[in-house]
């Protein structure tokens, strides 16, 4: 029909981006999930459709922090998530709990970790499960995916009013929408967890900032407007 279509790049299947770069060159329009992805596929100025959430489904828990303090995350458990770094020094403060929602290839290596394993959770239950946490912890290792993309589950935690403690990868802003530490450093993971465990005011500030950022920047109602703008443009083929 004379049109090659729109290609949306959500990440890298092969890790190095070769597949995505080839597909992007054959497309009329290219959208990317993040600026790092756009640069890797050779379209640094491509419009962005970042990971987002339906902010209305997630509500802050409110009330006092848990006793004991509950850290946790929900993820496809792989070594890339860096959870072995958290396990190495757990708990960072006496009594702290780490609640892990999810399954995956990396789960076997963590079975001896002092974690509270909850298994796979239906997506419909995720807002309630995230709201049970006092801190969302994700010590991801550096890699093509983690370096270039702000992950969706931390964004869901932010929408639920949970402060995020994460590796200095992706799009979080240290001290504003998250508390960051150097990727791959187990001591840095423990130090960051101790800082948040001991400072309830800091946790509350990060949580409020993060929720406001999600509402203004990462709610699906706002993100989908990008598609309206893209589809309103004439196709290069149609322009002849």
């Amino acid at each position: 029909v004379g049109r090659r279509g729109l290609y949306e790049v959500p990440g890298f299947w092969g890790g190095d981006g070769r597949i995505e770069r080839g597909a992007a060159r054959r497309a009329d329009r290219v959208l990317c999930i993040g600026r790092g992805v756009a640069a890797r596929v050779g379209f640094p100025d491509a419009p962005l459709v970042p990971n987002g959430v339906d902010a209305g489904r997630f509500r802050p828990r409110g009330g006092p922090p848990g006793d004991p303090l509950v850290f946790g995350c929900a993820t496809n458990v792989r070594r890339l998530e860096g959870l072995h770094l958290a396990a190495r020094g757990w708990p960072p403060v006496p009594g702290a709990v780490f609640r892990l929602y999810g399954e995956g290839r990396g789960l076997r290596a963590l079975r001896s970790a002092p974690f509270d394993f909850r298994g796979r959770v239906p997506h419909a239950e995720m807002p309630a499960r995230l709201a049970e946490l006092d801190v969302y912890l994700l010590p991801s290792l550096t890699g093509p995916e983690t370096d270039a993309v702000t992950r969706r589950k931390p964004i869901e935690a932010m929408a639920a009013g949970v402060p995020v403690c994460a590796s200095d990868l992706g799009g979080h802003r240290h001290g504003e929408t998250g508390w960051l530490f150097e990727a791959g450093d187990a001591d840095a993971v423990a130090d960051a967890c101790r800082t948040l465990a001991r400072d309830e005011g800091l946790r509350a500030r990060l949580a409020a900032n993060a929720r406001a950022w999600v509402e203004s920047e990462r709610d699906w109602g706002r993100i989908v407007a990008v598609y309206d703008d893209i589809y309103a443009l004439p196709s290069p083929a149609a322009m002849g």
Side-chain angles (χ1 to χ4, degrees):
V1 295
R3 299 182 66 175
R4 290 177 292 179
L6 177 72
Y7 178 46
E8 184 171 343
V9 191
F12 306 111
W13 288 104
D16 59 7
R18 282 183 296 176
I19 295 173
E20 290 76 17
R21 283 193 294 273
R25 285 195 296 267
R26 292 191 293 272
D28 285 344
R29 307 285 185 203
V30 177
L31 300 177
C32 294
I33 197 171
R35 193 57 65 200
V37 172
R40 277 178 173 267
V41 297
F43 288 79
D45 298 321
L48 301 185
V49 182
N51 272 326
V53 301
D54 179 358
R57 292 186 62 236
F58 296 84
R59 293 296 180 202
R61 178 183 65 194
D67 185 16
L69 203 68
V70 180
F71 291 73
C73 75
T75 187
N76 173 22
V77 184
R78 304 167 293 174
R79 183 173 176 79
L80 184 65
E81 312 309 325
L83 296 174
H84 59 286
L85 300 177
R88 195 174 300 171
W90 202 265
V93 295
V97 172
F98 187 87
R99 190 171 293 168
L100 177 57
Y101 296 106
E103 298 176 350
R105 297 190 307 271
L107 197 59
R108 181 177 298 180
L110 295 172
R111 281 303 183 189
S112 61
F115 292 168
D116 177 10
F117 295 95
R118 296 296 183 96
R120 188 184 301 273
V121 175
H123 186 67
E125 297 180 15
M126 191 54 65
R129 301 289 80 78
L130 289 174
E132 295 171 353
L133 303 178
D134 295 298
V135 177
Y136 189 95
L137 173 62
L138 190 60
S140 303
L141 304 180
T142 186
E145 175 186 347
T146 53
D147 290 353
V149 179
T150 302
R151 315 283 290 282
R152 182 166 56 86
K153 277 294 180 285
I155 297 173
E156 291 182 351
M158 295 161 78
V162 178
V164 169
C165 184
S167 303
D168 54 353
L169 308 170
H172 302 291
R173 297 192 298 273
H174 179 64
E176 296 182 35
T177 59
W179 197 256
L180 308 185
F181 48 82
E182 184 178 355
D185 187 333
D187 291 335
V189 176
D191 287 344
C193 289
R194 279 191 289 269
T195 296
L196 289 179
R198 293 167 177 167
D199 194 335
E200 183 179 349
L202 174 60
R203 298 198 306 271
R205 178 169 60 82
L206 293 174
N209 289 348
R211 171 73 191 185
W213 178 77
V214 170
E215 290 177 335
S216 65
E217 302 290 337
R218 293 301 178 92
D219 182 72
W220 278 124
R222 295 180 179 274
I223 291 174
V224 295
V226 174
Y227 291 104
D228 294 336
D229 295 340
I230 290 295
Y231 283 115
L233 294 171
S235 162
M239 295 172 66

